[in-house]
Coordinates of all heavy atoms in Angstrom, one line a residue:
M719 N 8.2 14.9 -12.6 CA 9.0 14.0 -13.5 C 8.3 12.6 -13.6 O 8.0 12.0 -12.6 CB 10.4 13.9 -12.9 CG 11.2 12.8 -13.8 SD 12.9 12.5 -13.0 CE 13.4 14.1 -12.5
N720 N 7.9 12.2 -14.8 CA 7.2 10.9 -15.0 C 8.2 9.9 -15.4 O 9.1 10.0 -16.3 CB 6.1 11.1 -16.0 CG 5.0 11.9 -15.5 OD1 4.7 11.9 -14.3 ND2 4.3 12.4 -16.4
S721 N 8.1 8.7 -14.8 CA 9.0 7.6 -15.1 C 8.2 6.7 -16.0 O 7.0 6.5 -15.8 CB 9.4 6.9 -13.8 OG 10.1 5.7 -14.1
P722 N 8.9 6.0 -17.0 CA 8.1 5.0 -17.8 C 7.6 3.8 -17.0 O 6.6 3.3 -17.4 CB 9.1 4.6 -18.8 CG 10.4 5.0 -18.3 CD 10.2 6.1 -17.4
C723 N 8.3 3.5 -15.9 CA 7.8 2.5 -15.0 C 7.6 3.0 -13.6 O 8.5 3.5 -13.0 CB 8.7 1.2 -15.1 SG 8.3 -0.1 -14.1
E724 N 6.5 2.7 -13.1 CA 6.2 3.2 -11.7 C 6.1 2.0 -10.8 O 5.9 0.9 -11.2 CB 4.8 3.9 -11.7 CG 4.8 5.2 -12.6 CD 3.5 5.9 -12.5 OE1 2.5 5.3 -12.1 OE2 3.4 7.0 -12.8
L725 N 6.2 2.3 -9.5 CA 6.1 1.2 -8.4 C 4.8 0.5 -8.6 O 4.6 -0.7 -8.4 CB 6.3 1.8 -7.1 CG 6.3 0.8 -5.9 CD1 7.3 -0.3 -6.2 CD2 6.4 1.6 -4.6
A726 N 3.6 1.4 -8.8 CA 2.4 0.8 -9.0 C 2.3 -0.3 -10.1 O 1.7 -1.3 -10.0 CB 1.3 1.9 -9.4
D727 N 3.2 -0.1 -11.1 CA 3.3 -1.1 -12.3 C 3.9 -2.4 -11.7 O 3.4 -3.5 -12.0 CB 4.1 -0.7 -13.4 CG 3.5 0.6 -14.1 OD1 2.2 0.6 -14.1 OD2 4.2 1.5 -14.5
V728 N 4.9 -2.3 -10.8 CA 5.6 -3.5 -10.2 C 4.7 -4.1 -9.3 O 4.5 -5.4 -9.4 CB 6.9 -3.0 -9.5 CG1 7.5 -4.2 -8.8 CG2 7.8 -2.4 -10.5
V729 N 3.9 -3.5 -8.5 CA 2.9 -4.0 -7.6 C 1.8 -4.7 -8.4 O 1.4 -5.8 -8.0 CB 2.3 -3.0 -6.6 CG1 1.2 -3.6 -5.8 CG2 3.4 -2.4 -5.7
R730 N 1.4 -4.1 -9.5 CA 0.4 -4.7 -10.3 C 0.8 -6.0 -10.8 O 0.1 -7.0 -10.8 CB 0.0 -3.7 -11.4 CG -1.4 -4.0 -12.0 CD -1.8 -2.9 -12.9 NE -2.1 -1.7 -12.3 CZ -1.3 -0.5 -12.3 NH1 -0.2 -0.4 -13.1 NH2 -1.7 0.5 -11.6
L731 N 2.1 -6.1 -11.3 CA 2.6 -7.3 -11.9 C 2.8 -8.4 -10.9 O 2.7 -9.5 -11.2 CB 3.9 -7.0 -12.7 CG 3.6 -6.2 -14.0 CD1 5.0 -5.8 -14.6 CD2 2.9 -7.1 -15.0
F732 N 3.6 -8.1 -9.8 CA 4.1 -9.0 -8.8 C 3.4 -9.0 -7.5 O 3.7 -9.8 -6.7 CB 5.5 -8.8 -8.6 CG 6.2 -8.8 -10.0 CD1 6.8 -7.7 -10.6 CD2 6.5 -10.1 -10.6 CE1 7.5 -7.8 -11.8 CE2 7.2 -10.2 -11.8 CZ 7.7 -9.0 -12.3
G733 N 2.5 -8.2 -7.2 CA 1.9 -8.0 -5.9 C 1.2 -9.3 -5.4 O 1.3 -9.7 -4.3
N734 N 0.3 -9.9 -6.3 CA -0.4 -11.1 -6.0 C 0.6 -12.2 -5.6 O 0.5 -12.9 -4.7 CB -1.3 -11.5 -7.1 CG -2.6 -10.6 -7.1 OD1 -2.9 -9.9 -6.1 ND2 -3.2 -10.7 -8.3
E735 N 1.6 -12.4 -6.5 CA 2.6 -13.4 -6.3 C 3.4 -13.2 -4.9 O 3.6 -14.1 -4.2 CB 3.6 -13.4 -7.4 CG 4.7 -14.5 -7.4 CD 5.5 -14.5 -8.5 OE1 5.2 -13.9 -9.6 OE2 6.7 -15.0 -8.5
L736 N 3.7 -12.0 -4.6 CA 4.4 -11.6 -3.4 C 3.5 -12.0 -2.2 O 3.9 -12.5 -1.3 CB 4.7 -10.2 -3.4 CG 5.5 -9.7 -2.2 CD1 6.9 -10.4 -2.1 CD2 5.7 -8.2 -2.2
S737 N 2.2 -11.6 -2.3 CA 1.3 -11.9 -1.2 C 1.1 -13.4 -1.0 O 1.0 -13.8 0.2 CB -0.1 -11.3 -1.5 OG 0.0 -9.9 -1.7
E738 N 1.1 -14.2 -2.1 CA 0.9 -15.6 -1.9 C 2.2 -16.3 -1.4 O 2.1 -17.3 -0.7 CB 0.7 -16.2 -3.3 CG -0.8 -15.8 -3.8 CD -1.0 -16.2 -5.2 OE1 -0.2 -16.9 -5.8 OE2 -2.1 -15.9 -5.8
N739 N 3.4 -15.8 -1.7 CA 4.7 -16.5 -1.4 C 5.3 -16.0 -0.1 O 6.1 -16.7 0.5 CB 5.6 -16.4 -2.6 CG 5.1 -17.1 -3.8 OD1 4.4 -18.0 -3.6 ND2 5.7 -16.6 -4.9
E740 N 4.9 -14.8 0.3 CA 5.6 -14.2 1.5 C 4.5 -13.9 2.5 O 3.3 -13.6 2.2 CB 6.2 -12.8 1.2 CG 7.3 -13.0 0.1 CD 8.5 -13.8 0.6 OE1 8.8 -13.8 1.8 OE2 9.1 -14.5 -0.3
K741 N 4.9 -14.0 3.8 CA 4.0 -13.6 4.9 C 4.0 -12.0 5.1 O 4.8 -11.6 5.8 CB 4.2 -14.3 6.2 CG 3.9 -15.7 6.2 CD 3.9 -16.3 7.6 CE 3.2 -17.6 7.6 NZ 2.8 -17.9 9.0
L742 N 3.1 -11.4 4.3 CA 3.1 -9.9 4.5 C 2.3 -9.5 5.6 O 1.3 -10.1 6.0 CB 2.5 -9.3 3.2 CG 3.3 -9.5 1.9 CD1 2.6 -8.9 0.8 CD2 4.7 -9.1 2.0
K743 N 2.7 -8.4 6.2 CA 1.9 -7.9 7.4 C 0.8 -7.1 6.8 O 0.8 -6.6 5.7 CB 2.9 -6.9 8.1 CG 4.0 -7.7 8.9 CD 4.9 -6.6 9.6 CE 6.1 -7.4 10.2 NZ 7.1 -6.5 10.8
P744 N -0.3 -7.0 7.6 CA -1.5 -6.2 7.2 C -1.2 -4.9 6.6 O -1.7 -4.4 5.6 CB -2.4 -6.2 8.3 CG -2.0 -7.4 9.1 CD -0.4 -7.6 8.9
L745 N -0.2 -4.2 7.3 CA 0.2 -2.8 6.9 C 0.8 -2.9 5.5 O 0.5 -1.9 4.6 CB 1.1 -2.2 7.9 CG 1.7 -0.8 7.5 CD1 0.5 0.2 7.4 CD2 2.7 -0.4 8.5
Q746 N 1.6 -3.8 5.2 CA 2.3 -3.9 3.9 C 1.3 -4.2 2.8 O 1.4 -3.5 1.8 CB 3.3 -5.1 3.9 CG 4.5 -4.9 4.8 CD 5.4 -6.1 5.0 OE1 4.9 -7.2 5.3 NE2 6.7 -5.9 4.9
I747 N 0.2 -5.0 3.1 CA -0.8 -5.3 2.1 C -1.5 -3.9 1.9 O -1.9 -3.5 0.7 CB -1.7 -6.4 2.6 CG1 -0.9 -7.7 2.5 CG2 -2.9 -6.5 1.6 CD1 -1.6 -8.8 3.2
K748 N -1.9 -3.2 2.9 CA -2.6 -2.0 2.9 C -1.8 -0.9 2.0 O -2.4 -0.2 1.2 CB -2.8 -1.4 4.3 CG -3.7 -0.2 4.4 CD -3.8 0.2 5.9 CE -4.5 1.5 6.0 NZ -4.6 1.9 7.4
V749 N -0.5 -0.8 2.3 CA 0.3 0.1 1.5 C 0.4 -0.2 0.0 O 0.3 0.6 -0.9 CB 1.7 0.1 2.2 CG1 2.7 0.9 1.1 CG2 1.8 0.8 3.5
M750 N 0.5 -1.6 -0.3 CA 0.5 -2.0 -1.6 C -0.8 -1.6 -2.3 O -0.8 -1.1 -3.5 CB 0.7 -3.5 -1.8 CG 2.1 -4.0 -1.6 SD 2.5 -5.6 -2.1 CE 1.0 -6.6 -2.1
N751 N -2.0 -1.8 -1.6 CA -3.2 -1.4 -2.2 C -3.3 0.1 -2.5 O -3.9 0.5 -3.5 CB -4.4 -1.9 -1.3 CG -4.6 -3.4 -1.5 OD1 -4.3 -4.0 -2.5 ND2 -5.0 -4.1 -0.4
K752 N -2.8 0.9 -1.5 CA -2.9 2.3 -1.6 C -2.0 2.7 -2.9 O -2.4 3.6 -3.6 CB -2.3 3.0 -0.4 CG -3.3 3.1 0.7 CD -2.9 3.9 1.9 CE -4.0 4.3 2.8 NZ -3.6 5.1 3.9
I753 N -0.8 2.2 -3.0 CA 0.0 2.5 -4.2 C -0.7 2.2 -5.5 O -0.7 2.9 -6.4 CB 1.4 1.7 -4.0 CG1 2.1 2.4 -2.9 CG2 2.1 1.7 -5.3 CD1 3.4 1.5 -2.5
L754 N -1.4 1.0 -5.5 CA -2.2 0.7 -6.7 C -3.3 1.7 -7.1 O -3.6 1.9 -8.2 CB -2.8 -0.7 -6.5 CG -1.8 -1.9 -6.7 CD1 -2.5 -3.2 -6.4 CD2 -1.4 -2.0 -8.2
Q755 N -4.0 2.2 -6.0 CA -5.1 3.0 -6.1 C -4.8 4.5 -6.3 O -5.6 5.3 -6.7 CB -6.1 2.9 -4.9 CG -6.7 1.4 -4.8 CD -7.4 1.3 -3.5 OE1 -7.4 2.1 -2.5 NE2 -8.1 0.1 -3.4
C756 N -3.6 4.9 -6.0 CA -3.2 6.2 -6.0 C -3.4 6.9 -7.3 O -2.9 6.4 -8.3 CB -1.8 6.4 -5.5 SG -1.3 8.2 -5.2
R757 N -4.1 8.0 -7.3 CA -4.3 8.7 -8.6 C -5.0 7.9 -9.7 O -4.6 8.0 -10.9 CB -3.1 9.4 -9.1 CG -2.5 10.5 -8.1 CD -1.4 11.1 -8.6 NE -0.8 12.0 -7.5 CZ 0.3 12.5 -7.7 NH1 1.0 12.5 -8.7 NH2 0.8 13.2 -6.6
T758 N -6.0 7.2 -9.2 CA -6.8 6.4 -10.2 C -8.3 6.7 -9.8 O -8.6 7.4 -8.8 CB -6.6 4.9 -10.0 OG1 -7.1 4.6 -8.7 CG2 -5.2 4.5 -10.2
A759 N -9.2 6.3 -10.6 CA -10.6 6.6 -10.4 C -11.2 6.1 -9.2 O -12.1 6.5 -8.6 CB -11.5 6.1 -11.6
V760 N -10.5 5.0 -8.6 CA -10.8 4.3 -7.4 C -11.0 5.4 -6.2 O -12.0 5.2 -5.4 CB -9.9 3.2 -7.0 CG1 -10.3 2.6 -5.7 CG2 -9.9 2.2 -8.1
L761 N -10.0 6.3 -6.2 CA -10.0 7.3 -5.1 C -10.8 8.6 -5.4 O -10.9 9.5 -4.6 CB -8.6 7.6 -4.7 CG -7.8 6.4 -4.1 CD1 -6.3 7.0 -3.8 CD2 -8.4 5.9 -2.9
G762 N -11.5 8.6 -6.5 CA -12.2 9.8 -6.9 C -11.3 10.9 -7.4 O -10.2 10.7 -7.7
G763 N -11.9 12.0 -7.7 CA -11.1 13.1 -8.2 C -11.6 14.4 -7.7 O -12.5 14.5 -6.9
H764 N -11.0 15.5 -8.2 CA -11.3 16.8 -7.9 C -11.1 17.8 -9.0 O -10.4 17.4 -10.0 CB -10.6 17.2 -6.6 CG -9.2 17.3 -6.8 ND1 -8.4 16.2 -6.7 CD2 -8.3 18.2 -7.2 CE1 -7.1 16.4 -6.9 NE2 -7.0 17.7 -7.2
K765 N -11.7 19.0 -8.9 CA -11.6 20.0 -10.0 C -10.7 21.1 -9.5 O -10.7 21.5 -8.4 CB -13.1 20.5 -10.3 CG -13.1 21.6 -11.3 CD -14.6 22.0 -11.4 CE -14.8 23.4 -11.7 NZ -16.2 23.8 -11.8
E766 N -9.8 21.4 -10.4 CA -8.9 22.6 -10.1 C -9.1 23.7 -11.0 O -9.2 23.5 -12.3 CB -7.4 22.1 -10.2 CG -7.0 21.0 -9.3 CD -5.5 20.6 -9.4 OE1 -5.0 20.7 -10.6 OE2 -5.1 20.0 -8.5
V767 N -9.2 25.0 -10.5 CA -9.5 26.1 -11.4 C -8.3 27.1 -11.0 O -7.9 27.4 -9.9 CB -10.8 26.8 -10.9 CG1 -11.0 28.0 -11.8 CG2 -12.0 25.8 -11.0
C768 N -7.7 27.5 -12.2 CA -6.6 28.4 -12.1 C -7.2 29.8 -11.7 O -8.1 30.3 -12.2 CB -5.9 28.5 -13.5 SG -4.6 29.8 -13.4
D769 N -6.5 30.3 -10.6 CA -6.9 31.7 -10.1 C -6.6 32.8 -11.1 O -7.3 33.8 -11.2 CB -6.1 32.0 -8.9 CG -6.5 31.1 -7.7 OD1 -7.6 30.6 -7.8 OD2 -5.7 30.9 -6.8
C770 N -5.7 32.6 -12.1 CA -5.3 33.6 -13.0 C -6.2 33.7 -14.2 O -6.8 34.6 -14.6 CB -3.8 33.5 -13.4 SG -2.7 33.7 -12.0
C771 N -6.3 32.4 -14.9 CA -6.9 32.4 -16.2 C -8.2 31.7 -16.1 O -9.1 31.7 -17.1 CB -6.1 31.7 -17.2 SG -5.7 30.0 -17.0
G772 N -8.6 31.0 -15.1 CA -9.9 30.4 -14.9 C -9.9 29.0 -15.6 O -11.0 28.4 -15.7
S773 N -8.8 28.5 -16.1 CA -8.9 27.3 -16.8 C -9.1 26.2 -15.7 O -8.8 26.3 -14.6 CB -7.5 27.0 -17.5 OG -6.5 26.8 -16.6
V774 N -9.8 25.2 -16.2 CA -10.2 24.1 -15.4 C -9.5 22.7 -15.7 O -9.4 22.5 -17.0 CB -11.8 23.9 -15.5 CG1 -12.3 22.7 -14.6 CG2 -12.5 25.2 -15.0
R775 N -9.1 22.0 -14.7 CA -8.7 20.7 -15.1 C -9.1 19.8 -13.9 O -9.3 20.2 -12.8 CB -7.2 20.6 -15.3 CG -6.3 20.9 -14.0 CD -4.9 20.8 -14.3 NE -4.1 21.0 -13.1 CZ -2.8 21.0 -13.0 NH1 -2.2 20.8 -14.1 NH2 -2.2 21.3 -12.0
Y776 N -9.2 18.4 -14.3 CA -9.7 17.5 -13.3 C -8.5 16.5 -13.0 O -7.8 16.2 -14.0 CB -11.0 16.7 -13.9 CG -12.2 17.6 -14.1 CD1 -12.3 18.3 -15.3 CD2 -13.0 17.9 -13.1 CE1 -13.4 19.1 -15.6 CE2 -14.1 18.7 -13.3 CZ -14.3 19.4 -14.5 OH -15.3 20.2 -14.7
R777 N -8.4 16.2 -11.7 CA -7.3 15.3 -11.3 C -7.8 14.3 -10.4 O -8.8 14.5 -9.8 CB -6.2 16.2 -10.5 CG -5.8 17.5 -11.1 CD -4.8 17.3 -12.2 NE -3.6 16.7 -11.6 CZ -2.4 16.9 -12.1 NH1 -2.3 17.5 -13.1 NH2 -1.4 16.4 -11.5
Y778 N -7.3 13.1 -10.5 CA -7.6 12.0 -9.5 C -6.9 12.3 -8.3 O -5.8 12.9 -8.1 CB -7.0 10.6 -10.0 CG -7.7 10.1 -11.3 CD1 -7.0 9.7 -12.4 CD2 -9.0 9.9 -11.2 CE1 -7.7 9.2 -13.4 CE2 -9.8 9.4 -12.3 CZ -9.1 9.0 -13.4 OH -9.8 8.5 -14.5
N779 N -7.5 11.9 -7.2 CA -7.0 12.1 -5.8 C -5.9 11.2 -5.5 O -5.8 10.1 -6.0 CB -8.2 11.9 -4.8 CG -9.3 12.9 -4.9 OD1 -9.1 14.0 -5.3 ND2 -10.5 12.5 -4.5
S780 N -5.0 11.7 -4.6 CA -3.7 10.9 -4.2 C -4.2 10.1 -2.9 O -5.1 10.4 -2.2 CB -2.7 11.8 -3.8 OG -2.4 12.7 -4.9
C781 N -3.4 9.1 -2.7 CA -3.7 8.2 -1.5 C -3.1 8.9 -0.2 O -3.6 8.6 0.8 CB -3.0 6.8 -1.7 SG -1.2 6.8 -1.6
G782 N -2.1 9.7 -0.4 CA -1.6 10.3 0.9 C -0.7 9.5 1.7 O -0.3 9.9 2.7
D783 N -0.5 8.2 1.4 CA 0.4 7.3 2.1 C 1.9 7.8 2.0 O 2.4 8.1 0.9 CB 0.3 5.9 1.7 CG 0.8 5.0 2.6 OD1 2.1 4.7 2.6 OD2 0.0 4.3 3.4
R784 N 2.5 7.7 3.2 CA 4.0 8.2 3.3 C 4.9 7.2 2.5 O 6.0 7.6 2.1 CB 4.4 8.4 4.6 CG 4.5 7.1 5.5 CD 4.8 7.5 6.9 NE 4.8 6.3 7.6 CZ 6.0 5.7 8.1 NH1 7.1 6.1 7.9 NH2 5.8 4.6 8.9
H785 N 4.4 6.0 2.2 CA 5.3 5.1 1.5 C 5.1 5.2 -0.1 O 5.8 4.7 -0.8 CB 4.9 3.6 1.9 CG 5.1 3.4 3.3 ND1 4.1 3.5 4.2 CD2 6.3 3.1 4.0 CE1 4.6 3.2 5.4 NE2 5.9 3.0 5.4
C786 N 4.1 6.0 -0.5 CA 3.7 6.1 -1.9 C 4.7 7.0 -2.6 O 4.7 8.2 -2.2 CB 2.3 6.5 -2.1 SG 1.9 6.9 -3.7
P787 N 5.4 6.6 -3.6 CA 6.4 7.5 -4.3 C 5.7 8.7 -5.1 O 6.3 9.7 -5.1 CB 7.1 6.5 -5.2 CG 6.3 5.4 -5.4 CD 5.5 5.2 -4.2
K788 N 4.5 8.4 -5.5 CA 3.8 9.6 -6.2 C 3.4 10.6 -5.1 O 3.6 11.8 -5.5 CB 2.4 9.0 -6.7 CG 2.6 8.2 -8.0 CD 1.3 7.8 -8.5 CE 1.5 6.7 -9.6 NZ 0.2 6.1 -9.9
C789 N 3.0 10.3 -4.0 CA 2.6 11.3 -3.0 C 3.9 12.0 -2.4 O 3.9 13.2 -2.2 CB 1.8 10.6 -1.9 SG 0.2 10.1 -2.4
Q790 N 5.0 11.2 -2.2 CA 6.2 11.7 -1.7 C 6.8 12.7 -2.8 O 7.3 13.7 -2.3 CB 7.1 10.6 -1.3 CG 6.7 9.9 -0.1 CD 6.3 10.8 1.1 OE1 7.2 11.6 1.4 NE2 5.2 10.6 1.7
A791 N 6.7 12.4 -4.0 CA 7.2 13.3 -5.0 C 6.5 14.6 -5.0 O 7.1 15.7 -5.2 CB 7.1 12.6 -6.4
A792 N 5.2 14.5 -4.9 CA 4.3 15.7 -4.8 C 4.7 16.7 -3.5 O 4.9 17.9 -3.6 CB 2.9 15.4 -4.7
K793 N 5.0 16.0 -2.4 CA 5.3 16.6 -1.1 C 6.7 17.3 -1.4 O 6.8 18.5 -0.9 CB 5.3 15.7 0.0 CG 3.9 15.4 0.5 CD 4.0 14.4 1.7 CE 2.7 14.1 2.2 NZ 2.7 13.0 3.2
Q794 N 7.5 16.7 -2.0 CA 8.9 17.3 -2.2 C 8.8 18.5 -3.1 O 9.4 19.5 -2.9 CB 9.9 16.3 -2.8 CG 10.5 15.3 -1.8 CD 11.6 14.5 -2.4 OE1 11.5 14.2 -3.7 NE2 12.5 14.0 -1.7
A795 N 8.0 18.3 -4.1 CA 7.9 19.5 -5.1 C 7.3 20.7 -4.4 O 7.7 21.8 -4.8 CB 7.0 19.0 -6.3
F796 N 6.4 20.5 -3.5 CA 5.9 21.6 -2.8 C 6.5 22.0 -1.5 O 6.1 22.8 -0.7 CB 4.3 21.4 -2.5 CG 3.5 21.4 -3.7 CD1 3.0 20.2 -4.3 CD2 3.3 22.5 -4.4 CE1 2.3 20.1 -5.4 CE2 2.5 22.5 -5.7 CZ 2.1 21.3 -6.0
G797 N 7.7 21.3 -1.2 CA 8.5 21.6 0.0 C 7.9 21.2 1.3 O 8.0 21.9 2.3
L798 N 7.0 20.2 1.3 CA 6.3 19.8 2.5 C 7.0 18.6 3.3 O 6.5 18.3 4.3 CB 4.9 19.3 2.1 CG 4.0 20.3 1.4 CD1 2.7 19.7 1.0 CD2 3.8 21.4 2.3
T799 N 8.2 18.2 2.8 CA 8.8 17.2 3.6 C 9.8 17.7 4.6 O 10.2 18.9 4.5 CB 9.7 16.3 2.6 OG1 10.7 17.1 1.9 CG2 8.9 15.5 1.7
I800 N 10.1 17.0 5.6 CA 10.9 17.5 6.7 C 12.3 17.3 6.4 O 12.7 16.4 5.8 CB 10.6 16.7 8.0 CG1 9.2 17.0 8.4 CG2 11.5 17.1 9.2 CD1 8.7 16.2 9.6
Ligands
LIG971 ZN1 -0.1 8.0 -3.3

């Protein structure tokens, strides 16, 4: 399910201001950066080939951070959450 507005959009718009005005912990800054980079060219990509029809598609890599809503949505879809 795609939302018209993602958390990455919010971080992109307000992340610098938040970093300047609040004392963020290094982990919080790291998570914000991962959310910004998730599924973009920054993290590279990979090729997927369908076992049935052989069709090929290229996808950007995920950040894998547990705080990232994109990664958590994927884990839920595949039943990987506890
Ligand atoms: Zn992610």
Side-chain angles (χ1 to χ4, degrees):
M719 178 185 314
N720 288 332
S721 169
C723 182
E724 299 179 341
L725 181 56
D727 298 326
V728 176
V729 172
R730 196 171 294 112
L731 286 172
F732 303 107
N734 285 340
E735 184 180 335
L736 181 65
S737 296
E738 291 169 4
N739 296 335
E740 302 293 329
K741 285 194 167 203
L742 297 179
K743 295 177 182 174
L745 177 62
Q746 292 170 313
I747 294 170
K748 184 178 174 182
V749 169
M750 283 195 336
N751 286 329
K752 281 189 169 186
I753 288 171
L754 282 175
Q755 296 172 348
C756 188
R757 296 186 189 168
T758 66
V760 174
L761 297 181
H764 60 278
K765 177 176 147 183
E766 294 176 344
V767 181
C768 177
D769 292 337
C770 297
C771 68
S773 66
V774 176
R775 69 178 178 179
Y776 296 91
R777 309 282 293 207
Y778 288 128
N779 293 332
S780 301
C781 70
D783 192 280
R784 67 185 175 105
H785 300 96
C786 175
K788 289 179 189 171
C789 291
Q790 290 307 309
K793 285 180 182 176
Q794 275 187 336
F796 293 107
L798 299 175
T799 56
I800 297 173

